[in-house]
Amino acid sequence: MSEHAVEFRLNGRPVRVLVEASASLVEVLRDQIGLTGTKLGCGAGVCGVCSVIVDGSLQTACLVPAVHLDGTSVSTIEGVADADGSLAPIQRAFIEQGGFQCGICTPGQVMAATALLRERPNPSEDEIVDWMKGSLCRCTGYYGIVRAVQAASGEGR
Ligand code: FES
Ligand code: FES
């Protein structure tokens, strides 16, 4: 299998990696770069646990071919907190509102919420529910997650 050099920005820092032609972004993040915060679930673009932001757009990293990354800017869960480790408002809200549930879905939920609040800083409850349904929770529920997004958007507590 052929390898290709790709250069992109990852959480604000330049990276250069050699990737297999068939590799997905989530595979490169986890297996080559060592950022395991982005999880791999269905591998088919359905569950949302691999959600990242590429050039400002929410993407399922299992469906992003790594060879297409050249020149892009990628944000992962590892880049949400400030450089000094201080949690971002959305991360604090997930903890305070009970949205922080399991370690499989939560990184993708936080990335989805981050993308939503960048696009729509004050979303309605219906908009939050509609947006977040792309990130599946198989075991708990969405009340805490919706509250967390509302709290981070300043819409309520
Ligand atoms: S692992 Fe990517 S959407 Fe499920
Ligand atoms: S809390 Fe993560 S899948 Fe349900």
Side-chain angles (χ1 to χ4, degrees):
M1 185 86 57
S2 60
E3 284 191 324
H4 304 265
V6 292
E7 295 183 39
F8 58 102
R9 294 190 78 78
L10 178 56
N11 297 327
R13 295 195 181 142
V15 293
R16 182 179 191 279
V17 277
L18 282 178
V19 302
E20 298 275 356
S22 62
S24 65
L25 172 54
V26 67
E27 290 169 330
V28 169
L29 288 171
R30 292 180 57 83
D31 302 336
Q32 291 186 241
I33 298 176
L35 292 187
T36 56
T38 303
K39 306 305 182 197
L40 178 57
C42 67
V46 175
C47 71
V49 302
C50 64
S51 295
V52 297
I53 297 171
V54 180
D55 287 342
S57 161
L58 186 65
Q59 302 278 337
T60 45
C62 66
L63 293 187
V64 176
V67 288
H68 289 178
L69 291 174
D70 227 16
T72 64
S73 179
V74 177
S75 302
T76 70
I77 188 66
E78 288 87 353
V80 174
D82 291 341
D84 67 0
S86 310
L87 295 182
I90 188 63
Q91 292 172 303
R92 286 200 305 275
F94 262 69
I95 294 169
E96 291 166 1
Q97 301 297 328
F100 179 63
Q101 297 171 163
C102 84
I104 299 297
C105 71
T106 298
Q109 306 272 14
V110 169
M111 294 313 294
T114 299
L116 169 61
L117 293 175
R118 282 186 191 168
E119 194 169 308
R120 262 173 260 163
N122 287 292
S124 68
E125 183 169 344
D126 284 348
E127 288 174 325
I128 295 169
V129 169
D130 190 52
W131 185 281
M132 297 303 294
K133 68 186 180 194
S135 292
L136 302 185
C137 166
R138 298 163 187 79
C139 53
T140 312
Y142 287 85
Y143 292 111
I145 292 166
V146 172
R147 279 198 310 271
V149 180
Q150 288 174 319
S153 67
E155 274 205 358
R157 286 241 139 222

PDB file of all heavy atoms in Angstrom, residues 65-106:
ATOM      1  N   PRO A  65     -10.818  10.638   4.784  1.00  0.00           N
ATOM      2  CA  PRO A  65      -9.567  10.009   4.336  1.00  0.00           C
ATOM      3  C   PRO A  65      -8.376  10.882   4.752  1.00  0.00           C
ATOM      4  O   PRO A  65      -8.366  12.087   4.480  1.00  0.00           O
ATOM      5  CB  PRO A  65      -9.708   9.969   2.808  1.00  0.00           C
ATOM      6  CG  PRO A  65     -11.168  10.188   2.532  1.00  0.00           C
ATOM      7  CD  PRO A  65     -11.676  11.041   3.659  1.00  0.00           C
ATOM      8  N   ALA A  66      -7.417  10.265   5.389  1.00  0.00           N
ATOM      9  CA  ALA A  66      -6.279  11.041   5.882  1.00  0.00           C
ATOM     10  C   ALA A  66      -5.524  11.728   4.745  1.00  0.00           C
ATOM     11  O   ALA A  66      -4.950  12.799   4.933  1.00  0.00           O
ATOM     12  CB  ALA A  66      -5.345  10.132   6.692  1.00  0.00           C
ATOM     13  N   VAL A  67      -5.539  11.132   3.566  1.00  0.00           N
ATOM     14  CA  VAL A  67      -4.802  11.749   2.443  1.00  0.00           C
ATOM     15  C   VAL A  67      -5.423  13.088   2.025  1.00  0.00           C
ATOM     16  O   VAL A  67      -4.790  13.849   1.305  1.00  0.00           O
ATOM     17  CB  VAL A  67      -4.740  10.816   1.208  1.00  0.00           C
ATOM     18  CG1 VAL A  67      -3.811   9.651   1.460  1.00  0.00           C
ATOM     19  CG2 VAL A  67      -6.124  10.354   0.800  1.00  0.00           C
ATOM     20  N   HIS A  68      -6.640  13.354   2.486  1.00  0.00           N
ATOM     21  CA  HIS A  68      -7.291  14.625   2.138  1.00  0.00           C
ATOM     22  C   HIS A  68      -6.996  15.734   3.143  1.00  0.00           C
ATOM     23  O   HIS A  68      -7.543  16.828   3.037  1.00  0.00           O
ATOM     24  CB  HIS A  68      -8.817  14.442   2.051  1.00  0.00           C
ATOM     25  CG  HIS A  68      -9.255  13.642   0.869  1.00  0.00           C
ATOM     26  ND1 HIS A  68     -10.570  13.318   0.619  1.00  0.00           N
ATOM     27  CD2 HIS A  68      -8.542  13.092  -0.164  1.00  0.00           C
ATOM     28  CE1 HIS A  68     -10.658  12.600  -0.489  1.00  0.00           C
ATOM     29  NE2 HIS A  68      -9.441  12.455  -0.977  1.00  0.00           N
ATOM     30  N   LEU A  69      -6.140  15.452   4.103  1.00  0.00           N
ATOM     31  CA  LEU A  69      -5.938  16.420   5.188  1.00  0.00           C
ATOM     32  C   LEU A  69      -4.990  17.542   4.827  1.00  0.00           C
ATOM     33  O   LEU A  69      -4.919  18.549   5.541  1.00  0.00           O
ATOM     34  CB  LEU A  69      -5.386  15.716   6.434  1.00  0.00           C
ATOM     35  CG  LEU A  69      -6.354  14.780   7.148  1.00  0.00           C
ATOM     36  CD1 LEU A  69      -5.635  14.054   8.262  1.00  0.00           C
ATOM     37  CD2 LEU A  69      -7.540  15.558   7.680  1.00  0.00           C
ATOM     38  N   ASP A  70      -4.237  17.387   3.768  1.00  0.00           N
ATOM     39  CA  ASP A  70      -3.197  18.364   3.448  1.00  0.00           C
ATOM     40  C   ASP A  70      -3.754  19.789   3.470  1.00  0.00           C
ATOM     41  O   ASP A  70      -4.751  20.087   2.806  1.00  0.00           O
ATOM     42  CB  ASP A  70      -2.627  18.064   2.064  1.00  0.00           C
ATOM     43  CG  ASP A  70      -1.120  18.083   2.054  1.00  0.00           C
ATOM     44  OD1 ASP A  70      -0.518  18.023   3.141  1.00  0.00           O
ATOM     45  OD2 ASP A  70      -0.557  18.162   0.958  1.00  0.00           O
ATOM     46  N   GLY A  71      -3.131  20.652   4.262  1.00  0.00           N
ATOM     47  CA  GLY A  71      -3.507  22.063   4.295  1.00  0.00           C
ATOM     48  C   GLY A  71      -4.722  22.378   5.150  1.00  0.00           C
ATOM     49  O   GLY A  71      -5.134  23.535   5.225  1.00  0.00           O
ATOM     50  N   THR A  72      -5.280  21.372   5.812  1.00  0.00           N
ATOM     51  CA  THR A  72      -6.466  21.621   6.637  1.00  0.00           C
ATOM     52  C   THR A  72      -6.062  21.979   8.067  1.00  0.00           C
ATOM     53  O   THR A  72      -4.896  21.892   8.459  1.00  0.00           O
ATOM     54  CB  THR A  72      -7.390  20.391   6.686  1.00  0.00           C
ATOM     55  OG1 THR A  72      -6.692  19.321   7.323  1.00  0.00           O
ATOM     56  CG2 THR A  72      -7.846  19.979   5.294  1.00  0.00           C
ATOM     57  N   SER A  73      -7.077  22.356   8.824  1.00  0.00           N
ATOM     58  CA  SER A  73      -6.886  22.628  10.243  1.00  0.00           C
ATOM     59  C   SER A  73      -7.863  21.726  11.010  1.00  0.00           C
ATOM     60  O   SER A  73      -9.071  21.792  10.794  1.00  0.00           O
ATOM     61  CB  SER A  73      -7.184  24.107  10.520  1.00  0.00           C
ATOM     62  OG  SER A  73      -7.030  24.383  11.885  1.00  0.00           O
ATOM     63  N   VAL A  74      -7.304  20.869  11.873  1.00  0.00           N
ATOM     64  CA  VAL A  74      -8.098  19.863  12.571  1.00  0.00           C
ATOM     65  C   VAL A  74      -8.102  20.169  14.068  1.00  0.00           C
ATOM     66  O   VAL A  74      -7.053  20.444  14.655  1.00  0.00           O
ATOM     67  CB  VAL A  74      -7.514  18.445  12.337  1.00  0.00           C
ATOM     68  CG1 VAL A  74      -8.299  17.399  13.119  1.00  0.00           C
ATOM     69  CG2 VAL A  74      -7.496  18.116  10.843  1.00  0.00           C
ATOM     70  N   SER A  75      -9.288  20.127  14.664  1.00  0.00           N
ATOM     71  CA  SER A  75      -9.396  20.282  16.126  1.00  0.00           C
ATOM     72  C   SER A  75      -9.968  19.000  16.706  1.00  0.00           C
ATOM     73  O   SER A  75     -10.980  18.487  16.210  1.00  0.00           O
ATOM     74  CB  SER A  75     -10.341  21.431  16.493  1.00  0.00           C
ATOM     75  OG  SER A  75      -9.904  22.639  15.931  1.00  0.00           O
ATOM     76  N   THR A  76      -9.329  18.512  17.759  1.00  0.00           N
ATOM     77  CA  THR A  76      -9.800  17.307  18.443  1.00  0.00           C
ATOM     78  C   THR A  76     -10.100  17.647  19.903  1.00  0.00           C
ATOM     79  O   THR A  76      -9.825  18.759  20.358  1.00  0.00           O
ATOM     80  CB  THR A  76      -8.740  16.189  18.407  1.00  0.00           C
ATOM     81  OG1 THR A  76      -7.646  16.571  19.248  1.00  0.00           O
ATOM     82  CG2 THR A  76      -8.258  15.934  16.986  1.00  0.00           C
ATOM     83  N   ILE A  77     -10.610  16.670  20.613  1.00  0.00           N
ATOM     84  CA  ILE A  77     -10.947  16.883  22.017  1.00  0.00           C
ATOM     85  C   ILE A  77      -9.714  17.342  22.817  1.00  0.00           C
ATOM     86  O   ILE A  77      -9.850  18.119  23.776  1.00  0.00           O
ATOM     87  CB  ILE A  77     -11.555  15.590  22.638  1.00  0.00           C
ATOM     88  CG1 ILE A  77     -12.097  15.847  24.038  1.00  0.00           C
ATOM     89  CG2 ILE A  77     -10.570  14.435  22.621  1.00  0.00           C
ATOM     90  CD1 ILE A  77     -13.282  16.770  24.100  1.00  0.00           C
ATOM     91  N   GLU A  78      -8.538  16.933  22.402  1.00  0.00           N
ATOM     92  CA  GLU A  78      -7.328  17.331  23.137  1.00  0.00           C
ATOM     93  C   GLU A  78      -7.056  18.823  23.020  1.00  0.00           C
ATOM     94  O   GLU A  78      -6.292  19.382  23.806  1.00  0.00           O
ATOM     95  CB  GLU A  78      -6.113  16.548  22.632  1.00  0.00           C
ATOM     96  CG  GLU A  78      -6.077  15.079  23.037  1.00  0.00           C
ATOM     97  CD  GLU A  78      -6.820  14.160  22.066  1.00  0.00           C
ATOM     98  OE1 GLU A  78      -7.491  14.680  21.126  1.00  0.00           O
ATOM     99  OE2 GLU A  78      -6.728  12.926  22.235  1.00  0.00           O
ATOM    100  N   GLY A  79      -7.678  19.474  22.027  1.00  0.00           N
ATOM    101  CA  GLY A  79      -7.414  20.895  21.825  1.00  0.00           C
ATOM    102  C   GLY A  79      -8.515  21.799  22.354  1.00  0.00           C
ATOM    103  O   GLY A  79      -8.461  23.016  22.154  1.00  0.00           O
ATOM    104  N   VAL A  80      -9.492  21.226  23.057  1.00  0.00           N
ATOM    105  CA  VAL A  80     -10.614  22.050  23.516  1.00  0.00           C
ATOM    106  C   VAL A  80     -10.224  22.888  24.740  1.00  0.00           C
ATOM    107  O   VAL A  80     -10.572  24.065  24.836  1.00  0.00           O
ATOM    108  CB  VAL A  80     -11.847  21.167  23.815  1.00  0.00           C
ATOM    109  CG1 VAL A  80     -12.966  21.988  24.436  1.00  0.00           C
ATOM    110  CG2 VAL A  80     -12.334  20.506  22.522  1.00  0.00           C
ATOM    111  N   ALA A  81      -9.510  22.291  25.669  1.00  0.00           N
ATOM    112  CA  ALA A  81      -9.084  23.045  26.856  1.00  0.00           C
ATOM    113  C   ALA A  81      -8.015  24.069  26.472  1.00  0.00           C
ATOM    114  O   ALA A  81      -7.385  23.970  25.421  1.00  0.00           O
ATOM    115  CB  ALA A  81      -8.530  22.089  27.913  1.00  0.00           C
ATOM    116  N   ASP A  82      -7.837  25.061  27.333  1.00  0.00           N
ATOM    117  CA  ASP A  82      -6.778  26.038  27.102  1.00  0.00           C
ATOM    118  C   ASP A  82      -5.410  25.370  27.210  1.00  0.00           C
ATOM    119  O   ASP A  82      -5.275  24.289  27.796  1.00  0.00           O
ATOM    120  CB  ASP A  82      -6.863  27.163  28.140  1.00  0.00           C
ATOM    121  CG  ASP A  82      -8.097  28.027  27.923  1.00  0.00           C
ATOM    122  OD1 ASP A  82      -8.650  27.991  26.803  1.00  0.00           O
ATOM    123  OD2 ASP A  82      -8.490  28.723  28.876  1.00  0.00           O
ATOM    124  N   ALA A  83      -4.399  26.037  26.683  1.00  0.00           N
ATOM    125  CA  ALA A  83      -3.051  25.476  26.692  1.00  0.00           C
ATOM    126  C   ALA A  83      -2.562  25.198  28.111  1.00  0.00           C
ATOM    127  O   ALA A  83      -1.761  24.286  28.349  1.00  0.00           O
ATOM    128  CB  ALA A  83      -2.092  26.421  25.967  1.00  0.00           C
ATOM    129  N   ASP A  84      -3.045  25.979  29.091  1.00  0.00           N
ATOM    130  CA  ASP A  84      -2.604  25.758  30.477  1.00  0.00           C
ATOM    131  C   ASP A  84      -3.420  24.675  31.176  1.00  0.00           C
ATOM    132  O   ASP A  84      -3.272  24.443  32.376  1.00  0.00           O
ATOM    133  CB  ASP A  84      -2.666  27.073  31.268  1.00  0.00           C
ATOM    134  CG  ASP A  84      -4.095  27.562  31.478  1.00  0.00           C
ATOM    135  OD1 ASP A  84      -5.045  26.901  31.018  1.00  0.00           O
ATOM    136  OD2 ASP A  84      -4.263  28.629  32.114  1.00  0.00           O
ATOM    137  N   GLY A  85      -4.309  24.013  30.432  1.00  0.00           N
ATOM    138  CA  GLY A  85      -5.094  22.923  31.015  1.00  0.00           C
ATOM    139  C   GLY A  85      -6.437  23.360  31.571  1.00  0.00           C
ATOM    140  O   GLY A  85      -7.224  22.506  31.987  1.00  0.00           O
ATOM    141  N   SER A  86      -6.708  24.659  31.590  1.00  0.00           N
ATOM    142  CA  SER A  86      -8.016  25.122  32.069  1.00  0.00           C
ATOM    143  C   SER A  86      -9.110  24.626  31.131  1.00  0.00           C
ATOM    144  O   SER A  86      -8.988  24.757  29.911  1.00  0.00           O
ATOM    145  CB  SER A  86      -8.087  26.654  32.096  1.00  0.00           C
ATOM    146  OG  SER A  86      -6.990  27.180  32.749  1.00  0.00           O
ATOM    147  N   LEU A  87     -10.161  24.075  31.722  1.00  0.00           N
ATOM    148  CA  LEU A  87     -11.246  23.553  30.892  1.00  0.00           C
ATOM    149  C   LEU A  87     -11.974  24.678  30.178  1.00  0.00           C
ATOM    150  O   LEU A  87     -12.126  25.781  30.716  1.00  0.00           O
ATOM    151  CB  LEU A  87     -12.237  22.769  31.759  1.00  0.00           C
ATOM    152  CG  LEU A  87     -11.707  21.500  32.416  1.00  0.00           C
ATOM    153  CD1 LEU A  87     -12.815  20.811  33.200  1.00  0.00           C
ATOM    154  CD2 LEU A  87     -11.099  20.546  31.397  1.00  0.00           C
ATOM    155  N   ALA A  88     -12.431  24.382  28.983  1.00  0.00           N
ATOM    156  CA  ALA A  88     -13.264  25.330  28.238  1.00  0.00           C
ATOM    157  C   ALA A  88     -14.642  25.379  28.889  1.00  0.00           C
ATOM    158  O   ALA A  88     -15.057  24.434  29.570  1.00  0.00           O
ATOM    159  CB  ALA A  88     -13.380  24.871  26.788  1.00  0.00           C
ATOM    160  N   PRO A  89     -15.396  26.458  28.669  1.00  0.00           N
ATOM    161  CA  PRO A  89     -16.749  26.543  29.242  1.00  0.00           C
ATOM    162  C   PRO A  89     -17.611  25.334  28.925  1.00  0.00           C
ATOM    163  O   PRO A  89     -18.356  24.856  29.788  1.00  0.00           O
ATOM    164  CB  PRO A  89     -17.300  27.831  28.609  1.00  0.00           C
ATOM    165  CG  PRO A  89     -16.093  28.668  28.362  1.00  0.00           C
ATOM    166  CD  PRO A  89     -15.010  27.697  27.977  1.00  0.00           C
ATOM    167  N   ILE A  90     -17.530  24.808  27.709  1.00  0.00           N
ATOM    168  CA  ILE A  90     -18.384  23.659  27.371  1.00  0.00           C
ATOM    169  C   ILE A  90     -17.964  22.425  28.176  1.00  0.00           C
ATOM    170  O   ILE A  90     -18.814  21.612  28.566  1.00  0.00           O
ATOM    171  CB  ILE A  90     -18.372  23.367  25.841  1.00  0.00           C
ATOM    172  CG1 ILE A  90     -19.396  22.303  25.473  1.00  0.00           C
ATOM    173  CG2 ILE A  90     -16.994  22.955  25.354  1.00  0.00           C
ATOM    174  CD1 ILE A  90     -20.817  22.661  25.732  1.00  0.00           C
ATOM    175  N   GLN A  91     -16.692  22.258  28.448  1.00  0.00           N
ATOM    176  CA  GLN A  91     -16.248  21.116  29.253  1.00  0.00           C
ATOM    177  C   GLN A  91     -16.714  21.256  30.702  1.00  0.00           C
ATOM    178  O   GLN A  91     -17.195  20.299  31.312  1.00  0.00           O
ATOM    179  CB  GLN A  91     -14.720  20.991  29.210  1.00  0.00           C
ATOM    180  CG  GLN A  91     -14.196  20.597  27.839  1.00  0.00           C
ATOM    181  CD  GLN A  91     -12.689  20.659  27.775  1.00  0.00           C
ATOM    182  OE1 GLN A  91     -12.092  21.704  28.043  1.00  0.00           O
ATOM    183  NE2 GLN A  91     -12.062  19.554  27.422  1.00  0.00           N
ATOM    184  N   ARG A  92     -16.595  22.475  31.242  1.00  0.00           N
ATOM    185  CA  ARG A  92     -17.077  22.697  32.624  1.00  0.00           C
ATOM    186  C   ARG A  92     -18.578  22.461  32.695  1.00  0.00           C
ATOM    187  O   ARG A  92     -19.076  21.851  33.642  1.00  0.00           O
ATOM    188  CB  ARG A  92     -16.739  24.123  33.078  1.00  0.00           C
ATOM    189  CG  ARG A  92     -15.263  24.331  33.388  1.00  0.00           C
ATOM    190  CD  ARG A  92     -15.052  25.558  34.274  1.00  0.00           C
ATOM    191  NE  ARG A  92     -15.634  26.758  33.696  1.00  0.00           N
ATOM    192  CZ  ARG A  92     -15.017  27.535  32.807  1.00  0.00           C
ATOM    193  NH1 ARG A  92     -13.794  27.238  32.422  1.00  0.00           N
ATOM    194  NH2 ARG A  92     -15.600  28.609  32.333  1.00  0.00           N
ATOM    195  N   ALA A  93     -19.283  22.916  31.664  1.00  0.00           N
ATOM    196  CA  ALA A  93     -20.745  22.748  31.665  1.00  0.00           C
ATOM    197  C   ALA A  93     -21.123  21.271  31.593  1.00  0.00           C
ATOM    198  O   ALA A  93     -22.069  20.843  32.259  1.00  0.00           O
ATOM    199  CB  ALA A  93     -21.356  23.515  30.489  1.00  0.00           C
ATOM    200  N   PHE A  94     -20.405  20.483  30.819  1.00  0.00           N
ATOM    201  CA  PHE A  94     -20.696  19.044  30.767  1.00  0.00           C
ATOM    202  C   PHE A  94     -20.549  18.425  32.155  1.00  0.00           C
ATOM    203  O   PHE A  94     -21.361  17.576  32.548  1.00  0.00           O
ATOM    204  CB  PHE A  94     -19.756  18.340  29.771  1.00  0.00           C
ATOM    205  CG  PHE A  94     -20.379  18.110  28.424  1.00  0.00           C
ATOM    206  CD1 PHE A  94     -20.652  19.172  27.578  1.00  0.00           C
ATOM    207  CD2 PHE A  94     -20.704  16.830  27.999  1.00  0.00           C
ATOM    208  CE1 PHE A  94     -21.245  18.972  26.331  1.00  0.00           C
ATOM    209  CE2 PHE A  94     -21.301  16.615  26.756  1.00  0.00           C
ATOM    210  CZ  PHE A  94     -21.564  17.680  25.919  1.00  0.00           C
ATOM    211  N   ILE A  95     -19.532  18.819  32.883  1.00  0.00           N
ATOM    212  CA  ILE A  95     -19.322  18.267  34.231  1.00  0.00           C
ATOM    213  C   ILE A  95     -20.418  18.758  35.166  1.00  0.00           C
ATOM    214  O   ILE A  95     -21.064  17.968  35.873  1.00  0.00           O
ATOM    215  CB  ILE A  95     -17.923  18.660  34.751  1.00  0.00           C
ATOM    216  CG1 ILE A  95     -16.846  17.979  33.908  1.00  0.00           C
ATOM    217  CG2 ILE A  95     -17.783  18.292  36.234  1.00  0.00           C
ATOM    218  CD1 ILE A  95     -15.447  18.485  34.157  1.00  0.00           C
ATOM    219  N   GLU A  96     -20.651  20.057  35.170  1.00  0.00           N
ATOM    220  CA  GLU A  96     -21.594  20.640  36.140  1.00  0.00           C
ATOM    221  C   GLU A  96     -23.034  20.212  35.871  1.00  0.00           C
ATOM    222  O   GLU A  96     -23.837  20.096  36.802  1.00  0.00           O
ATOM    223  CB  GLU A  96     -21.489  22.174  36.096  1.00  0.00           C
ATOM    224  CG  GLU A  96     -20.167  22.685  36.651  1.00  0.00           C
ATOM    225  CD  GLU A  96     -19.921  24.154  36.305  1.00  0.00           C
ATOM    226  OE1 GLU A  96     -20.785  24.776  35.658  1.00  0.00           O
ATOM    227  OE2 GLU A  96     -18.835  24.652  36.677  1.00  0.00           O
ATOM    228  N   GLN A  97     -23.378  19.979  34.620  1.00  0.00           N
ATOM    229  CA  GLN A  97     -24.771  19.671  34.267  1.00  0.00           C
ATOM    230  C   GLN A  97     -25.042  18.181  34.097  1.00  0.00           C
ATOM    231  O   GLN A  97     -26.132  17.797  33.677  1.00  0.00           O
ATOM    232  CB  GLN A  97     -25.153  20.409  32.976  1.00  0.00           C
ATOM    233  CG  GLN A  97     -25.028  21.905  33.040  1.00  0.00           C
ATOM    234  CD  GLN A  97     -25.968  22.520  34.074  1.00  0.00           C
ATOM    235  OE1 GLN A  97     -27.058  22.013  34.315  1.00  0.00           O
ATOM    236  NE2 GLN A  97     -25.540  23.612  34.698  1.00  0.00           N
ATOM    237  N   GLY A  98     -24.060  17.351  34.401  1.00  0.00           N
ATOM    238  CA  GLY A  98     -24.285  15.917  34.277  1.00  0.00           C
ATOM    239  C   GLY A  98     -24.271  15.415  32.847  1.00  0.00           C
ATOM    240  O   GLY A  98     -24.777  14.327  32.555  1.00  0.00           O
ATOM    241  N   GLY A  99     -23.667  16.188  31.950  1.00  0.00           N
ATOM    242  CA  GLY A  99     -23.568  15.747  30.557  1.00  0.00           C
ATOM    243  C   GLY A  99     -22.363  14.860  30.315  1.00  0.00           C
ATOM    244  O   GLY A  99     -22.279  14.162  29.306  1.00  0.00           O
ATOM    245  N   PHE A 100     -21.426  14.892  31.259  1.00  0.00           N
ATOM    246  CA  PHE A 100     -20.203  14.095  31.136  1.00  0.00           C
ATOM    247  C   PHE A 100     -20.528  12.680  31.589  1.00  0.00           C
ATOM    248  O   PHE A 100     -20.664  12.409  32.769  1.00  0.00           O
ATOM    249  CB  PHE A 100     -19.098  14.707  31.999  1.00  0.00           C
ATOM    250  CG  PHE A 100     -17.809  13.956  31.956  1.00  0.00           C
ATOM    251  CD1 PHE A 100     -17.109  13.836  30.773  1.00  0.00           C
ATOM    252  CD2 PHE A 100     -17.296  13.370  33.097  1.00  0.00           C
ATOM    253  CE1 PHE A 100     -15.914  13.141  30.729  1.00  0.00           C
ATOM    254  CE2 PHE A 100     -16.097  12.673  33.068  1.00  0.00           C
ATOM    255  CZ  PHE A 100     -15.414  12.559  31.876  1.00  0.00           C
ATOM    256  N   GLN A 101     -20.708  11.799  30.629  1.00  0.00           N
ATOM    257  CA  GLN A 101     -21.188  10.454  30.949  1.00  0.00           C
ATOM    258  C   GLN A 101     -20.058   9.454  30.726  1.00  0.00           C
ATOM    259  O   GLN A 101     -19.139   9.393  31.537  1.00  0.00           O
ATOM    260  CB  GLN A 101     -22.457  10.193  30.141  1.00  0.00           C
ATOM    261  CG  GLN A 101     -23.533  11.191  30.560  1.00  0.00           C
ATOM    262  CD  GLN A 101     -24.786  11.191  29.705  1.00  0.00           C
ATOM    263  OE1 GLN A 101     -25.787  11.714  30.137  1.00  0.00           O
ATOM    264  NE2 GLN A 101     -24.764  10.628  28.518  1.00  0.00           N
ATOM    265  N   CYS A 102     -20.073   8.677  29.672  1.00  0.00           N
ATOM    266  CA  CYS A 102     -18.997   7.693  29.530  1.00  0.00           C
ATOM    267  C   CYS A 102     -17.863   8.238  28.661  1.00  0.00           C
ATOM    268  O   CYS A 102     -18.014   9.214  27.943  1.00  0.00           O
ATOM    269  CB  CYS A 102     -19.527   6.386  28.951  1.00  0.00           C
ATOM    270  SG  CYS A 102     -19.649   6.380  27.154  1.00  0.00           S
ATOM    271  N   GLY A 103     -16.748   7.528  28.728  1.00  0.00           N
ATOM    272  CA  GLY A 103     -15.552   7.972  28.008  1.00  0.00           C
ATOM    273  C   GLY A 103     -15.588   7.674  26.526  1.00  0.00           C
ATOM    274  O   GLY A 103     -14.713   8.119  25.783  1.00  0.00           O
ATOM    275  N   ILE A 104     -16.580   6.899  26.091  1.00  0.00           N
ATOM    276  CA  ILE A 104     -16.658   6.597  24.664  1.00  0.00           C
ATOM    277  C   ILE A 104     -17.356   7.727  23.916  1.00  0.00           C
ATOM    278  O   ILE A 104     -16.848   8.260  22.941  1.00  0.00           O
ATOM    279  CB  ILE A 104     -17.410   5.267  24.422  1.00  0.00           C
ATOM    280  CG1 ILE A 104     -16.687   4.109  25.097  1.00  0.00           C
ATOM    281  CG2 ILE A 104     -17.560   5.020  22.918  1.00  0.00           C
ATOM    282  CD1 ILE A 104     -15.305   3.845  24.566  1.00  0.00           C
ATOM    283  N   CYS A 105     -18.539   8.109  24.400  1.00  0.00           N
ATOM    284  CA  CYS A 105     -19.301   9.098  23.626  1.00  0.00           C
ATOM    285  C   CYS A 105     -18.947  10.538  23.982  1.00  0.00           C
ATOM    286  O   CYS A 105     -19.155  11.430  23.170  1.00  0.00           O
ATOM    287  CB  CYS A 105     -20.801   8.870  23.791  1.00  0.00           C
ATOM    288  SG  CYS A 105     -21.461   9.293  25.429  1.00  0.00           S
ATOM    289  N   THR A 106     -18.448  10.771  25.209  1.00  0.00           N
ATOM    290  CA  THR A 106     -18.290  12.155  25.662  1.00  0.00           C
ATOM    291  C   THR A 106     -17.347  12.995  24.783  1.00  0.00           C
ATOM    292  O   THR A 106     -17.681  14.145  24.476  1.00  0.00           O
ATOM    293  CB  THR A 106     -17.864  12.202  27.141  1.00  0.00           C
ATOM    294  OG1 THR A 106     -18.915  11.606  27.920  1.00  0.00           O
ATOM    295  CG2 THR A 106     -17.649  13.622  27.612  1.00  0.00           C
TER     296      THR A 106
END
